[in-house]
Short mmCIF file of all heavy atoms in Angstrom, two decimals:
data_model
loop_
_atom_site.label_atom_id
_atom_site.label_comp_id
_atom_site.label_asym_id
_atom_site.label_seq_id
_atom_site.Cartn_x
_atom_site.Cartn_y
_atom_site.Cartn_z
N MET P 1 12.00 4.09 -17.17
CA MET P 1 11.63 3.68 -15.81
C MET P 1 12.68 4.14 -14.80
O MET P 1 13.86 4.11 -15.06
CB MET P 1 11.46 2.18 -15.83
CG MET P 1 11.04 1.58 -14.49
SD MET P 1 9.28 1.94 -14.19
CE MET P 1 9.10 1.45 -12.55
N THR P 2 12.22 4.59 -13.71
CA THR P 2 13.11 5.08 -12.67
C THR P 2 13.80 3.93 -11.96
O THR P 2 13.19 2.93 -11.59
CB THR P 2 12.27 5.85 -11.59
OG1 THR P 2 11.62 6.93 -12.29
CG2 THR P 2 13.14 6.39 -10.52
N ARG P 3 15.07 4.11 -11.78
CA ARG P 3 15.87 3.09 -11.08
C ARG P 3 16.09 3.60 -9.67
O ARG P 3 16.90 4.52 -9.46
CB ARG P 3 17.20 2.88 -11.79
CG ARG P 3 18.14 1.99 -11.07
CD ARG P 3 17.76 0.47 -11.28
NE ARG P 3 18.75 -0.34 -10.67
CZ ARG P 3 18.46 -1.21 -9.69
NH1 ARG P 3 17.23 -1.39 -9.33
NH2 ARG P 3 19.40 -1.95 -9.14
N ILE P 4 15.39 3.08 -8.71
CA ILE P 4 15.45 3.51 -7.33
C ILE P 4 16.54 2.73 -6.63
O ILE P 4 16.56 1.47 -6.68
CB ILE P 4 14.10 3.29 -6.62
CG1 ILE P 4 13.00 4.08 -7.34
CG2 ILE P 4 14.21 3.65 -5.17
CD1 ILE P 4 11.61 3.79 -6.80
N PRO P 5 17.49 3.39 -6.00
CA PRO P 5 18.58 2.66 -5.32
C PRO P 5 18.01 1.72 -4.27
O PRO P 5 17.19 2.09 -3.43
CB PRO P 5 19.40 3.76 -4.71
CG PRO P 5 19.09 5.02 -5.47
CD PRO P 5 17.66 4.83 -5.92
N GLN P 6 18.43 0.47 -4.29
CA GLN P 6 17.95 -0.56 -3.41
C GLN P 6 18.17 -0.19 -1.91
O GLN P 6 17.34 -0.47 -1.07
CB GLN P 6 18.59 -1.93 -3.69
CG GLN P 6 17.97 -3.07 -2.93
CD GLN P 6 16.48 -3.29 -3.26
OE1 GLN P 6 16.12 -3.27 -4.40
NE2 GLN P 6 15.65 -3.50 -2.25
N ALA P 7 19.32 0.43 -1.64
CA ALA P 7 19.60 0.80 -0.25
C ALA P 7 18.63 1.79 0.32
O ALA P 7 18.22 1.72 1.48
CB ALA P 7 21.02 1.43 -0.18
N LEU P 8 18.12 2.68 -0.57
CA LEU P 8 17.10 3.66 -0.10
C LEU P 8 15.77 2.94 0.18
O LEU P 8 15.04 3.30 1.13
CB LEU P 8 16.94 4.78 -1.11
CG LEU P 8 18.11 5.72 -1.22
CD1 LEU P 8 17.89 6.69 -2.34
CD2 LEU P 8 18.42 6.45 0.10
N LEU P 9 15.43 2.01 -0.68
CA LEU P 9 14.18 1.25 -0.49
C LEU P 9 14.24 0.40 0.76
O LEU P 9 13.29 0.32 1.57
CB LEU P 9 13.92 0.39 -1.70
CG LEU P 9 13.55 1.12 -2.98
CD1 LEU P 9 13.47 0.08 -4.15
CD2 LEU P 9 12.22 1.86 -2.82
N ASP P 10 15.38 -0.23 0.97
CA ASP P 10 15.60 -1.05 2.15
C ASP P 10 15.48 -0.21 3.45
O ASP P 10 14.85 -0.60 4.41
CB ASP P 10 16.96 -1.76 2.13
CG ASP P 10 16.98 -2.90 1.13
OD1 ASP P 10 15.92 -3.32 0.63
OD2 ASP P 10 18.12 -3.28 0.78
N ASP P 11 16.10 0.95 3.41
CA ASP P 11 16.07 1.88 4.56
C ASP P 11 14.59 2.27 4.88
O ASP P 11 14.16 2.26 6.03
CB ASP P 11 16.96 3.08 4.33
CG ASP P 11 17.13 3.91 5.60
OD1 ASP P 11 17.34 3.33 6.68
OD2 ASP P 11 17.09 5.17 5.48
N LEU P 12 13.87 2.59 3.83
CA LEU P 12 12.47 3.03 4.05
C LEU P 12 11.64 1.84 4.58
O LEU P 12 10.81 2.01 5.47
CB LEU P 12 11.87 3.56 2.76
CG LEU P 12 10.45 4.10 2.83
CD1 LEU P 12 10.33 5.21 3.86
CD2 LEU P 12 9.94 4.56 1.50
N ARG P 13 11.88 0.66 4.03
CA ARG P 13 11.16 -0.53 4.48
C ARG P 13 11.47 -0.81 5.95
O ARG P 13 10.57 -1.06 6.76
CB ARG P 13 11.51 -1.75 3.63
CG ARG P 13 10.80 -3.03 4.08
CD ARG P 13 11.06 -4.16 3.13
NE ARG P 13 12.46 -4.38 2.76
CZ ARG P 13 13.31 -5.09 3.45
NH1 ARG P 13 12.91 -5.72 4.55
NH2 ARG P 13 14.56 -5.27 3.05
N HIS P 14 12.72 -0.76 6.33
CA HIS P 14 13.09 -1.00 7.73
C HIS P 14 12.56 0.09 8.68
O HIS P 14 12.13 -0.26 9.76
CB HIS P 14 14.58 -1.09 7.84
CG HIS P 14 15.20 -2.28 7.13
ND1 HIS P 14 16.53 -2.43 6.89
CD2 HIS P 14 14.61 -3.43 6.66
CE1 HIS P 14 16.75 -3.57 6.25
NE2 HIS P 14 15.58 -4.20 6.07
N ALA P 15 12.59 1.30 8.23
CA ALA P 15 12.06 2.36 9.04
C ALA P 15 10.58 2.23 9.21
O ALA P 15 10.04 2.42 10.34
CB ALA P 15 12.37 3.74 8.38
N THR P 16 9.86 1.79 8.19
CA THR P 16 8.45 1.55 8.28
C THR P 16 8.14 0.38 9.20
O THR P 16 7.22 0.48 10.03
CB THR P 16 7.83 1.29 6.88
OG1 THR P 16 8.12 2.41 6.04
CG2 THR P 16 6.35 1.05 6.93
N GLU P 17 8.88 -0.65 9.09
CA GLU P 17 8.70 -1.80 9.98
C GLU P 17 8.92 -1.42 11.45
O GLU P 17 8.17 -1.80 12.33
CB GLU P 17 9.62 -2.96 9.58
CG GLU P 17 9.22 -3.63 8.28
CD GLU P 17 10.28 -4.59 7.76
OE1 GLU P 17 11.36 -4.76 8.40
OE2 GLU P 17 10.00 -5.26 6.75
N PHE P 18 9.97 -0.63 11.71
CA PHE P 18 10.27 -0.21 13.07
C PHE P 18 9.15 0.69 13.59
O PHE P 18 8.65 0.54 14.68
CB PHE P 18 11.61 0.53 13.11
CG PHE P 18 11.95 1.04 14.49
CD1 PHE P 18 12.11 0.21 15.53
CD2 PHE P 18 12.09 2.40 14.70
CE1 PHE P 18 12.47 0.69 16.79
CE2 PHE P 18 12.43 2.90 15.94
CZ PHE P 18 12.60 2.07 16.98
N TYR P 19 8.67 1.61 12.74
CA TYR P 19 7.55 2.51 13.14
C TYR P 19 6.32 1.66 13.51
O TYR P 19 5.66 1.91 14.48
CB TYR P 19 7.23 3.47 12.02
CG TYR P 19 6.20 4.47 12.44
CD1 TYR P 19 6.54 5.66 13.03
CD2 TYR P 19 4.87 4.23 12.20
CE1 TYR P 19 5.64 6.60 13.43
CE2 TYR P 19 3.89 5.17 12.59
CZ TYR P 19 4.29 6.35 13.22
OH TYR P 19 3.29 7.23 13.60
N ARG P 20 6.02 0.64 12.68
CA ARG P 20 4.82 -0.18 12.94
C ARG P 20 4.97 -1.00 14.20
O ARG P 20 4.00 -1.23 14.95
CB ARG P 20 4.60 -1.08 11.75
CG ARG P 20 4.02 -0.34 10.57
CD ARG P 20 3.75 -1.23 9.39
NE ARG P 20 3.21 -0.46 8.30
CZ ARG P 20 3.24 -0.82 7.06
NH1 ARG P 20 3.81 -1.96 6.70
NH2 ARG P 20 2.72 -0.09 6.11
N CYS P 21 6.21 -1.44 14.52
CA CYS P 21 6.44 -2.13 15.76
C CYS P 21 6.25 -1.24 16.98
O CYS P 21 5.60 -1.61 17.95
CB CYS P 21 7.88 -2.72 15.79
SG CYS P 21 8.13 -4.14 14.74
N VAL P 22 6.74 -0.02 16.90
CA VAL P 22 6.57 0.95 17.93
C VAL P 22 5.07 1.24 18.09
O VAL P 22 4.58 1.31 19.23
CB VAL P 22 7.40 2.22 17.71
CG1 VAL P 22 7.04 3.32 18.67
CG2 VAL P 22 8.88 1.89 17.77
N GLU P 23 4.39 1.44 16.97
CA GLU P 23 2.99 1.72 17.01
C GLU P 23 2.20 0.57 17.64
O GLU P 23 1.28 0.80 18.47
CB GLU P 23 2.50 1.95 15.58
CG GLU P 23 1.08 2.39 15.44
CD GLU P 23 0.72 2.67 14.00
OE1 GLU P 23 1.05 1.82 13.10
OE2 GLU P 23 0.08 3.65 13.74
N ALA P 24 2.55 -0.64 17.34
CA ALA P 24 1.82 -1.83 17.88
C ALA P 24 2.05 -1.96 19.40
O ALA P 24 1.18 -2.41 20.10
CB ALA P 24 2.27 -3.07 17.21
N GLU P 25 3.21 -1.49 19.86
CA GLU P 25 3.57 -1.52 21.27
C GLU P 25 3.45 -0.20 21.94
O GLU P 25 4.12 0.10 22.93
CB GLU P 25 4.97 -2.13 21.48
CG GLU P 25 5.18 -3.47 20.88
CD GLU P 25 4.38 -4.54 21.61
OE1 GLU P 25 4.20 -4.37 22.87
OE2 GLU P 25 3.97 -5.51 20.98
N SER P 26 2.60 0.67 21.43
CA SER P 26 2.58 2.06 21.79
C SER P 26 2.43 2.30 23.30
O SER P 26 2.97 3.23 23.86
CB SER P 26 1.47 2.81 21.07
OG SER P 26 0.24 2.27 21.40
N GLU P 27 1.73 1.48 23.98
CA GLU P 27 1.55 1.64 25.44
C GLU P 27 2.79 1.17 26.24
O GLU P 27 2.97 1.55 27.36
CB GLU P 27 0.33 0.93 25.93
CG GLU P 27 -0.93 1.55 25.31
CD GLU P 27 -2.23 0.85 25.82
OE1 GLU P 27 -2.15 0.16 26.83
OE2 GLU P 27 -3.25 0.98 25.13
N ALA P 28 3.62 0.37 25.58
CA ALA P 28 4.79 -0.21 26.29
C ALA P 28 6.09 0.47 25.97
O ALA P 28 7.08 0.17 26.60
CB ALA P 28 4.84 -1.72 25.95
N VAL P 29 6.04 1.41 25.02
CA VAL P 29 7.34 2.07 24.66
C VAL P 29 7.40 3.45 25.18
O VAL P 29 6.39 4.11 25.40
CB VAL P 29 7.58 2.02 23.10
CG1 VAL P 29 7.65 0.64 22.62
CG2 VAL P 29 6.52 2.85 22.43
N ASP P 30 8.64 3.92 25.38
CA ASP P 30 8.81 5.29 25.88
C ASP P 30 8.83 6.28 24.75
O ASP P 30 8.82 5.93 23.56
CB ASP P 30 10.05 5.40 26.75
CG ASP P 30 11.30 5.10 25.95
OD1 ASP P 30 11.29 5.08 24.70
OD2 ASP P 30 12.38 4.94 26.59
N VAL P 31 8.84 7.52 25.08
CA VAL P 31 8.85 8.65 24.16
C VAL P 31 10.02 8.55 23.19
O VAL P 31 9.96 8.90 22.02
CB VAL P 31 8.80 9.97 24.86
CG1 VAL P 31 8.93 11.15 23.89
CG2 VAL P 31 7.51 10.12 25.67
N GLY P 32 11.16 8.09 23.73
CA GLY P 32 12.38 8.01 22.89
C GLY P 32 12.21 7.11 21.69
O GLY P 32 12.72 7.37 20.62
N ALA P 33 11.50 5.98 21.89
CA ALA P 33 11.30 5.07 20.81
C ALA P 33 10.40 5.71 19.71
O ALA P 33 10.64 5.55 18.53
CB ALA P 33 10.65 3.77 21.27
N TRP P 34 9.38 6.48 20.13
CA TRP P 34 8.55 7.14 19.17
C TRP P 34 9.36 8.22 18.43
O TRP P 34 9.21 8.34 17.22
CB TRP P 34 7.33 7.87 19.88
CG TRP P 34 6.20 6.93 20.10
CD1 TRP P 34 5.70 6.45 21.27
CD2 TRP P 34 5.31 6.42 19.07
NE1 TRP P 34 4.62 5.67 21.00
CE2 TRP P 34 4.36 5.65 19.66
CE3 TRP P 34 5.28 6.59 17.68
CZ2 TRP P 34 3.36 4.99 18.97
CZ3 TRP P 34 4.27 5.95 16.97
CH2 TRP P 34 3.36 5.16 17.66
N THR P 35 10.19 8.93 19.11
CA THR P 35 11.02 9.94 18.51
C THR P 35 11.92 9.30 17.47
O THR P 35 12.06 9.80 16.35
CB THR P 35 11.85 10.66 19.56
OG1 THR P 35 10.95 11.29 20.49
CG2 THR P 35 12.73 11.77 18.93
N ASP P 36 12.61 8.21 17.87
CA ASP P 36 13.51 7.51 16.94
C ASP P 36 12.69 6.98 15.71
O ASP P 36 13.20 7.14 14.55
CB ASP P 36 14.14 6.33 17.64
CG ASP P 36 15.16 6.75 18.66
OD1 ASP P 36 15.53 7.95 18.69
OD2 ASP P 36 15.53 5.90 19.51
N ALA P 37 11.55 6.39 15.91
CA ALA P 37 10.78 5.83 14.83
C ALA P 37 10.31 6.89 13.86
O ALA P 37 10.43 6.78 12.62
CB ALA P 37 9.53 5.06 15.36
N ARG P 38 9.79 8.00 14.36
CA ARG P 38 9.33 9.09 13.53
C ARG P 38 10.53 9.74 12.74
O ARG P 38 10.40 10.03 11.53
CB ARG P 38 8.65 10.16 14.32
CG ARG P 38 7.21 9.83 14.67
CD ARG P 38 6.47 11.03 15.23
NE ARG P 38 7.09 11.52 16.46
CZ ARG P 38 6.74 11.18 17.70
NH1 ARG P 38 5.72 10.37 17.90
NH2 ARG P 38 7.33 11.73 18.75
N GLU P 39 11.64 9.89 13.36
CA GLU P 39 12.79 10.56 12.75
C GLU P 39 13.36 9.65 11.63
O GLU P 39 13.69 10.09 10.55
CB GLU P 39 13.82 10.88 13.78
CG GLU P 39 15.05 11.61 13.22
CD GLU P 39 14.72 12.94 12.53
OE1 GLU P 39 13.68 13.55 12.84
OE2 GLU P 39 15.53 13.33 11.67
N TRP P 40 13.49 8.36 11.92
CA TRP P 40 14.01 7.41 10.98
C TRP P 40 13.08 7.34 9.73
O TRP P 40 13.55 7.41 8.63
CB TRP P 40 14.20 6.04 11.57
CG TRP P 40 14.92 5.06 10.72
CD1 TRP P 40 15.48 5.26 9.47
CD2 TRP P 40 15.02 3.69 10.94
NE1 TRP P 40 16.02 4.07 8.97
CE2 TRP P 40 15.77 3.03 9.86
CE3 TRP P 40 14.61 2.83 12.02
CZ2 TRP P 40 16.07 1.68 9.83
CZ3 TRP P 40 14.94 1.48 11.94
CH2 TRP P 40 15.64 0.95 10.85
N LEU P 41 11.76 7.27 10.01
CA LEU P 41 10.82 7.19 8.90
C LEU P 41 10.91 8.48 8.05
O LEU P 41 10.89 8.45 6.84
CB LEU P 41 9.43 6.95 9.43
CG LEU P 41 8.35 6.63 8.41
CD1 LEU P 41 8.69 5.46 7.55
CD2 LEU P 41 7.02 6.38 9.11
N ARG P 42 10.92 9.62 8.76
CA ARG P 42 10.98 10.92 8.06
C ARG P 42 12.25 11.03 7.19
O ARG P 42 12.23 11.41 6.01
CB ARG P 42 10.91 12.05 9.07
CG ARG P 42 11.00 13.42 8.52
CD ARG P 42 10.85 14.51 9.54
NE ARG P 42 11.99 15.22 10.05
CZ ARG P 42 13.09 15.59 9.38
NH1 ARG P 42 13.29 15.21 8.21
NH2 ARG P 42 14.02 16.36 9.96
N THR P 43 13.40 10.70 7.77
CA THR P 43 14.64 10.77 7.12
C THR P 43 14.73 9.79 5.92
O THR P 43 15.16 10.21 4.80
CB THR P 43 15.80 10.49 8.10
OG1 THR P 43 15.77 11.37 9.14
CG2 THR P 43 17.17 10.54 7.39
N ALA P 44 14.24 8.59 6.08
CA ALA P 44 14.26 7.63 4.98
C ALA P 44 13.36 8.13 3.81
O ALA P 44 13.76 8.01 2.62
CB ALA P 44 13.75 6.28 5.47
N ALA P 45 12.21 8.66 4.16
CA ALA P 45 11.33 9.18 3.10
C ALA P 45 11.93 10.39 2.37
O ALA P 45 11.86 10.48 1.13
CB ALA P 45 9.98 9.53 3.69
N LEU P 46 12.57 11.27 3.13
CA LEU P 46 13.20 12.47 2.51
C LEU P 46 14.36 12.07 1.64
O LEU P 46 14.54 12.62 0.55
CB LEU P 46 13.64 13.43 3.59
CG LEU P 46 12.53 14.21 4.29
CD1 LEU P 46 13.07 15.05 5.47
CD2 LEU P 46 11.81 15.08 3.30
N ASN P 47 15.14 11.08 2.09
CA ASN P 47 16.32 10.63 1.29
C ASN P 47 15.83 10.02 -0.02
O ASN P 47 16.43 10.22 -1.09
CB ASN P 47 17.18 9.63 2.09
CG ASN P 47 17.92 10.27 3.20
OD1 ASN P 47 18.12 11.49 3.18
ND2 ASN P 47 18.39 9.49 4.15
N LEU P 48 14.80 9.21 0.04
CA LEU P 48 14.26 8.58 -1.14
C LEU P 48 13.71 9.64 -2.08
O LEU P 48 13.94 9.62 -3.31
CB LEU P 48 13.21 7.57 -0.79
CG LEU P 48 12.52 6.85 -2.00
CD1 LEU P 48 13.51 6.07 -2.84
CD2 LEU P 48 11.45 5.89 -1.48
N GLY P 49 12.94 10.57 -1.53
CA GLY P 49 12.40 11.70 -2.35
C GLY P 49 13.50 12.46 -3.04
O GLY P 49 13.37 12.82 -4.19
N ALA P 50 14.54 12.80 -2.30
CA ALA P 50 15.70 13.55 -2.86
C ALA P 50 16.34 12.78 -3.99
O ALA P 50 16.68 13.40 -5.04
CB ALA P 50 16.65 13.87 -1.78
N ALA P 51 16.49 11.50 -3.84
CA ALA P 51 17.06 10.68 -4.90
C ALA P 51 16.21 10.65 -6.15
O ALA P 51 16.66 10.77 -7.24
CB ALA P 51 17.33 9.29 -4.44
N LEU P 52 14.86 10.52 -5.98
CA LEU P 52 13.99 10.54 -7.07
C LEU P 52 13.99 11.89 -7.82
O LEU P 52 13.98 11.96 -9.03
CB LEU P 52 12.57 10.18 -6.61
CG LEU P 52 12.35 8.75 -6.13
CD1 LEU P 52 11.01 8.60 -5.49
CD2 LEU P 52 12.55 7.78 -7.25
N ILE P 53 13.99 12.97 -7.07
CA ILE P 53 14.04 14.32 -7.69
C ILE P 53 15.34 14.49 -8.40
O ILE P 53 15.35 15.00 -9.55
CB ILE P 53 13.86 15.38 -6.57
CG1 ILE P 53 12.40 15.35 -6.10
CG2 ILE P 53 14.23 16.74 -7.14
CD1 ILE P 53 12.18 16.17 -4.83
N ALA P 54 16.45 14.06 -7.86
CA ALA P 54 17.74 14.23 -8.49
C ALA P 54 17.78 13.42 -9.83
O ALA P 54 18.24 13.89 -10.84
CB ALA P 54 18.88 13.76 -7.59
N GLU P 55 17.24 12.23 -9.80
CA GLU P 55 17.17 11.37 -10.99
C GLU P 55 16.30 12.06 -12.09
O GLU P 55 16.66 12.06 -13.24
CB GLU P 55 16.64 9.99 -10.69
CG GLU P 55 16.73 9.07 -11.87
CD GLU P 55 16.40 7.68 -11.54
OE1 GLU P 55 16.83 7.16 -10.51
OE2 GLU P 55 15.76 6.99 -12.37
N LEU P 56 15.17 12.59 -11.63
CA LEU P 56 14.29 13.26 -12.59
C LEU P 56 14.99 14.46 -13.21
O LEU P 56 14.94 14.63 -14.44
CB LEU P 56 12.99 13.70 -11.88
CG LEU P 56 12.02 14.48 -12.76
CD1 LEU P 56 11.43 13.60 -13.83
CD2 LEU P 56 10.87 15.03 -11.88
N GLU P 57 15.63 15.27 -12.37
CA GLU P 57 16.32 16.42 -12.95
C GLU P 57 17.48 16.00 -13.87
O GLU P 57 17.73 16.70 -14.88
CB GLU P 57 16.85 17.30 -11.79
CG GLU P 57 15.73 17.99 -11.06
CD GLU P 57 16.20 18.72 -9.82
OE1 GLU P 57 17.36 18.57 -9.39
OE2 GLU P 57 15.40 19.53 -9.25
N ALA P 58 18.13 14.94 -13.53
CA ALA P 58 19.24 14.48 -14.38
C ALA P 58 18.78 13.95 -15.75
O ALA P 58 19.52 14.01 -16.73
CB ALA P 58 20.08 13.43 -13.68
N SER P 59 17.57 13.40 -15.72
CA SER P 59 17.03 12.84 -16.98
C SER P 59 16.29 13.80 -17.89
O SER P 59 16.02 13.48 -19.05
CB SER P 59 16.07 11.68 -16.70
OG SER P 59 14.94 12.17 -16.06
N GLU P 60 16.03 14.97 -17.37
CA GLU P 60 15.35 15.97 -18.22
C GLU P 60 16.33 16.58 -19.22
O GLU P 60 17.46 16.85 -18.93
CB GLU P 60 14.78 17.10 -17.31
CG GLU P 60 13.64 16.67 -16.48
CD GLU P 60 13.09 17.79 -15.62
OE1 GLU P 60 13.77 18.86 -15.48
OE2 GLU P 60 12.02 17.61 -15.04
N ALA P 61 15.80 16.77 -20.42
CA ALA P 61 16.56 17.44 -21.47
C ALA P 61 16.72 18.90 -21.13
O ALA P 61 15.82 19.50 -20.66
CB ALA P 61 15.91 17.23 -22.79
N PRO P 62 17.91 19.47 -21.36
CA PRO P 62 18.09 20.87 -21.06
C PRO P 62 17.18 21.69 -21.99
O PRO P 62 16.90 21.33 -23.13
CB PRO P 62 19.54 21.15 -21.49
CG PRO P 62 20.18 19.84 -21.83
CD PRO P 62 19.08 18.81 -21.87
N HIS P 63 16.68 22.74 -21.42
CA HIS P 63 15.75 23.65 -22.13
C HIS P 63 16.58 24.52 -23.14
O HIS P 63 17.55 25.06 -22.75
CB HIS P 63 14.95 24.48 -21.21
CG HIS P 63 14.08 23.68 -20.30
ND1 HIS P 63 12.95 23.00 -20.77
CD2 HIS P 63 14.16 23.42 -18.97
CE1 HIS P 63 12.37 22.38 -19.74
NE2 HIS P 63 13.12 22.61 -18.63
N ALA P 64 16.06 24.58 -24.31
CA ALA P 64 16.81 25.37 -25.34
C ALA P 64 16.36 26.83 -25.28
O ALA P 64 15.36 27.18 -24.88
CB ALA P 64 16.58 24.79 -26.70
#
């Protein structure tokens, strides 16, 4: 089973929550908030993906 670092999961959860808040208030927020929300969500997802890929590569047996 894959052991996902808790900090990466927390970051993705918080980024998702922030994005949803901005989305819910879409008419009341400025472009900067949308930019921040999208960038944070994108970065959190990429960091989690990179960690999962690195773990997968580390767990694979070397090819003979």
Side-chain angles (χ1 to χ4, degrees):
M1 181 74 188
T2 302
R3 175 79 177 122
I4 299 171
Q6 189 62 43
L8 292 175
L9 292 174
D10 289 343
D11 191 41
L12 184 59
R13 179 173 48 87
H14 294 165
T16 301
E17 289 170 358
F18 179 62
Y19 185 89
R20 287 180 179 157
C21 287
V22 170
E23 186 177 46
E25 301 293 328
S26 62
E27 294 180 19
V29 298
D30 63 13
V31 174
W34 274 111
T35 301
D36 292 345
R38 281 191 299 265
E39 183 61 22
W40 187 8
L41 189 57
R42 179 178 104 32
T43 301
L46 287 172
N47 289 341
L48 180 58
L52 291 171
I53 290 168
E55 185 173 321
L56 177 66
E57 289 174 349
S59 68
E60 291 179 347
H63 298 289

